[in-house]
Amino acid sequence: MNGGDGGEAAAATAGPPAPLEWKFSQVFGERSAGEEVQEVDIISAIEFDKTGNHLATGDRGGRVVLFERTDTKEHGRNRKDLEKMDYPISRHPEFRYKTEFQSHEPEFDYLKSLEIEEKINKIRWCQTANGAAFLLSTNDKTIKFWKVQEKKVKKISELNVDPSKVCSAASSMVSSSPKQYLSNGSYPDQSHFSSRNDGLPDGIHSLRLPMITSSETSLIARCRRVYAHAHDYHINSISNNSDCETFISADDLRINLWNLEISSQSFNIVDVKPANMEDLTEVITSAEFHPTHCNMLAYSSSKGSIRLIDLRQSALCDSHSKLFEDQEAPGSRSFFTEIIASISDIKFAKDGRHILSRDYMTLKLWDINMDSGPVATFQVHEYLRPKLCDLYENDSIFDKFECCLSGDGLRVATGSYSNLFRVFGCIAGSTEATTLDASKNPMRRQIQTPSRPARSLSSSITRAVRRGSESPGVDSNGNSFDFTTKLLHLAWHPSENSIACAAANSLYMYYA
């Protein structure tokens, strides 16, 4: 066998990549021991831009915070060589705080007597232009289009006039002139002016007009457009199209198509609302455009199905082109079956060939060319199956965990309780399944503090576990877990093994 054949054979028999070793990078907004977390500071959305050099977070207080990459991309290598490689080298990514702005304010719908929270549900980056960043942010009802740009701060330059002399000269003019004029009706005496004929008081040889100078720059966020009054139910998703001109917004029953330049109207492309609301069996939970095909999008439902639709088929896409759903095992139905089957998030892979979905118990990877079932299923919360009754009582079973894929498509990730996140290898034969505590900062001395429940009902589950005979708060692997802390939101860098994840009000960065 020659060398070329041996190389091909080695490549053919090569197994999945080795598991990654994740390391802590940095943290923003870490609370000190015993510090209470304000509800408005809890992070509710995370999104990298396409380059990975910018990161945006939204919180329950309606604020958007932007971060930018600061570490250099060259480490003795040619930039062109780095751009050709998806994962050039393992390096320490560093971000810094850039700016923040108030995106949404609390509102009140007087027609429906309904309070509208300012909480940011989703953030999506748009195409940059002329050095300005554009992004979409939405709360339950209103989508806003923001432009963030550096503006030069204008200041008035200093004059060449001595303030003391100006004041004395001006006061002498004011004090003497009116008296002279009032006494004899003539013009005021000009003796306090100099003999020079330039018309300036003594001590002032020239008069310079004020000049505007621009010395400093400041980041300014401006709301360019507001897309409102198009959803009767809470918006759960927004997604940009690859044509860079349109985007979709989805609520429980409808998906609308918008043009970025037109905020006054939208087109309803999906409507699952039945004629009689009593016949409603499922709702839309998430929606996303295909990364490269501008005519394709997918949306998930509360019944655990994913529908792929083609905008070329009809104006109203009530009929799907493909349906993806996992067939449940016979005899396995229970009261919780439909609840835990509800998909909370879907993401297209970068190549557009695969879709990742997250339901309460599992992560599933789907091939859009194979609708018979998922190509891979990853167990995330299987250890919670005996505790579904307790999870239902305190509403934890309705928690909506997000998911993400690596840029090379080799790995997937999602969050869990106790501020844990899990990374799985999705290549055939891979056994990679890493669990990390996102909130465990190795740079800080750990101090044990009593955990505070996110809401009063959350403590009922810990009481129920302590009353049981099994070990309190321990999963099948012996890992302790806490239902009052949960990692719902995370994002994978588009071209590197770097993950940003939110634990309450803190943003943690990890890399491999």
Side-chain angles (χ1 to χ4, degrees), residues 28 65-68 95-100:
F28 296 95
V65 183
L66 304 184
F67 302 88
E68 67 177 354
F95 284 80
R96 72 173 179 89
Y97 168 85
K98 188 174 184 180
T99 187
E100 69 178 271

Side-chain angles (χ1 to χ4, degrees), residues 303-434:
K303 276 193 169 181
S305 61
I306 301 172
R307 290 172 173 84
L308 193 67
I309 63 176
D310 192 335
L311 296 175
R312 298 172 297 183
Q313 290 182 345
S314 63
L316 187 60
C317 303
D318 287 336
S319 60
H320 51 268
S321 56
K322 285 188 178 181
L323 175 67
F324 307 95
E325 54 185 355
D326 196 8
Q327 302 298 326
E328 62 186 67
S332 62
R333 285 191 64 84
S334 68
F335 173 77
F336 305 108
T337 299
E338 284 196 7
I339 299 176
I340 62 176
S342 177
I343 295 176
S344 56
D345 189 28
I346 61 171
K347 291 285 194 314
F348 270 100
K350 192 175 182 179
D351 59 5
R353 172 75 181 270
H354 295 89
I355 299 176
L356 181 67
S357 67
R358 170 68 203 265
D359 56 46
Y360 189 72
M361 303 295 286
T362 64
L363 270 175
K364 292 186 175 74
L365 189 66
W366 308 79
D367 188 328
I368 64 173
N369 297 327
M370 191 178 79
D371 53 5
S372 59
V375 294
T377 301
F378 309 97
Q379 300 295 334
V380 181
H381 282 164
E382 189 59 30
Y383 63 90
L384 295 178
R385 197 172 291 276
K387 302 175 175 61
L388 292 180
C389 286
D390 298 325
L391 293 164
Y392 179 78
E393 285 183 5
N394 71 354
D395 289 341
S396 292
I397 200 171
F398 301 107
D399 287 334
K400 300 182 185 303
F401 292 92
E402 293 180 0
C403 59
C404 58
L405 301 94
S406 61
D408 57 7
L410 299 179
R411 295 171 179 86
V412 296
T414 189
S416 181
Y417 294 104
S418 301
N419 289 334
L420 301 177
F421 70 94
R422 307 199 67 188
V423 180
F424 300 92
C426 54
I427 297 298
S430 174
T431 58
E432 181 175 358
T434 308

Side-chain angles (χ1 to χ4, degrees), residues 23 110 115 123 141 207 246 267 340 354 376 388 390 392 403 426 465 469 486:
K23 301 175 183 177
Y110 293 97
E115 290 186 4
I123 296 174
K141 296 290 185 181
L207 181 64
T246 56
F267 298 95
I340 62 176
H354 295 89
L388 292 180
D390 298 325
Y392 179 78
C403 59
C426 54
V465 170
S469 58
K486 59 198 73 172

Side-chain angles (χ1 to χ4, degrees), residues 40-41 57-59 61-65 100-104 118 120:
V40 294
D41 294 331
T57 65
D59 61 26
R63 293 163 298 193
V64 173
V65 183
E100 69 178 271
F101 57 91
Q102 188 72 32
S103 176
H104 288 73
E118 65 270 34
I120 305 296

Side-chain angles (χ1 to χ4, degrees), residues 112-413:
K112 297 181 179 180
S113 297
L114 190 68
E115 290 186 4
I116 303 173
E117 292 182 340
E118 65 270 34
K119 173 191 155 191
I120 305 296
N121 291 342
K122 294 288 180 182
I123 296 174
R124 290 291 180 264
W125 289 90
C126 302
Q127 197 172 28
T128 58
N130 299 325
F134 296 88
L135 48 88
L136 291 166
S137 62
T138 183
N139 64 352
D140 287 340
K141 296 290 185 181
T142 306
I143 308 162
K144 293 186 178 182
F145 183 52
W146 290 91
K147 178 182 180 181
V148 182
Q149 189 177 28
E150 284 191 351
K151 289 286 187 180
K152 291 185 177 180
V153 179
K154 296 181 179 179
K155 291 184 177 181
I156 299 177
S157 62
E158 294 183 2
L159 304 179
N160 65 330
V161 176
D162 187 350
S164 61
K165 294 183 178 180
V166 171
C167 293
S168 60
S171 60
S172 62
M173 290 177 63
V174 172
S175 59
S176 61
S177 298
K179 294 179 181 178
Q180 294 285 343
Y181 181 77
L182 290 175
S183 61
N184 53 23
S186 61
Y187 289 102
D189 183 16
Q190 304 294 321
S191 59
H192 57 274
F193 284 99
S194 66
S195 59
R196 293 162 53 235
N197 59 2
D198 56 8
L200 294 174
D202 289 332
I204 302 177
H205 305 294
S206 65
L207 181 64
R208 185 179 298 173
L209 294 175
M211 301 292 291
I212 304 276
T213 58
S214 300
S215 57
E216 300 177 1
T217 58
S218 176
L219 279 168
I220 305 295
R222 292 181 178 175
C223 182
R224 299 295 301 272
R225 289 177 192 86
V226 178
Y227 313 90
H229 312 299
H231 288 277
D232 292 330
Y233 304 94
H234 291 176
I235 299 173
N236 54 50
S237 303
I238 52 175
S239 178
N240 293 315
N241 199 348
S242 58
D243 62 7
C244 300
E245 295 180 359
T246 56
F247 71 94
I248 56 170
S249 59
D251 64 20
D252 293 340
L253 300 179
R254 292 188 177 95
I255 300 177
N256 293 333
L257 178 67
W258 301 84
N259 188 302
L260 281 168
E261 302 293 329
I262 303 171
S263 60
S264 58
Q265 65 176 352
S266 62
F267 298 95
N268 179 229
I269 56 175
V270 175
D271 189 351
V272 300
K273 184 178 181 179
N276 186 354
M277 286 295 285
E278 293 182 358
D279 299 330
L280 183 67
T281 58
E282 62 181 337
V283 296
I284 299 169
T285 57
S286 182
E288 185 167 272
F289 260 118
H290 191 279
T292 56
H293 299 332
C294 61
N295 58 289
M296 293 176 61
L297 62 96
Y299 70 91
S300 58
S301 80
S302 57
K303 276 193 169 181
S305 61
I306 301 172
R307 290 172 173 84
L308 193 67
I309 63 176
D310 192 335
L311 296 175
R312 298 172 297 183
Q313 290 182 345
S314 63
L316 187 60
C317 303
D318 287 336
S319 60
H320 51 268
S321 56
K322 285 188 178 181
L323 175 67
F324 307 95
E325 54 185 355
D326 196 8
Q327 302 298 326
E328 62 186 67
S332 62
R333 285 191 64 84
S334 68
F335 173 77
F336 305 108
T337 299
E338 284 196 7
I339 299 176
I340 62 176
S342 177
I343 295 176
S344 56
D345 189 28
I346 61 171
K347 291 285 194 314
F348 270 100
K350 192 175 182 179
D351 59 5
R353 172 75 181 270
H354 295 89
I355 299 176
L356 181 67
S357 67
R358 170 68 203 265
D359 56 46
Y360 189 72
M361 303 295 286
T362 64
L363 270 175
K364 292 186 175 74
L365 189 66
W366 308 79
D367 188 328
I368 64 173
N369 297 327
M370 191 178 79
D371 53 5
S372 59
V375 294
T377 301
F378 309 97
Q379 300 295 334
V380 181
H381 282 164
E382 189 59 30
Y383 63 90
L384 295 178
R385 197 172 291 276
K387 302 175 175 61
L388 292 180
C389 286
D390 298 325
L391 293 164
Y392 179 78
E393 285 183 5
N394 71 354
D395 289 341
S396 292
I397 200 171
F398 301 107
D399 287 334
K400 300 182 185 303
F401 292 92
E402 293 180 0
C403 59
C404 58
L405 301 94
S406 61
D408 57 7
L410 299 179
R411 295 171 179 86
V412 296

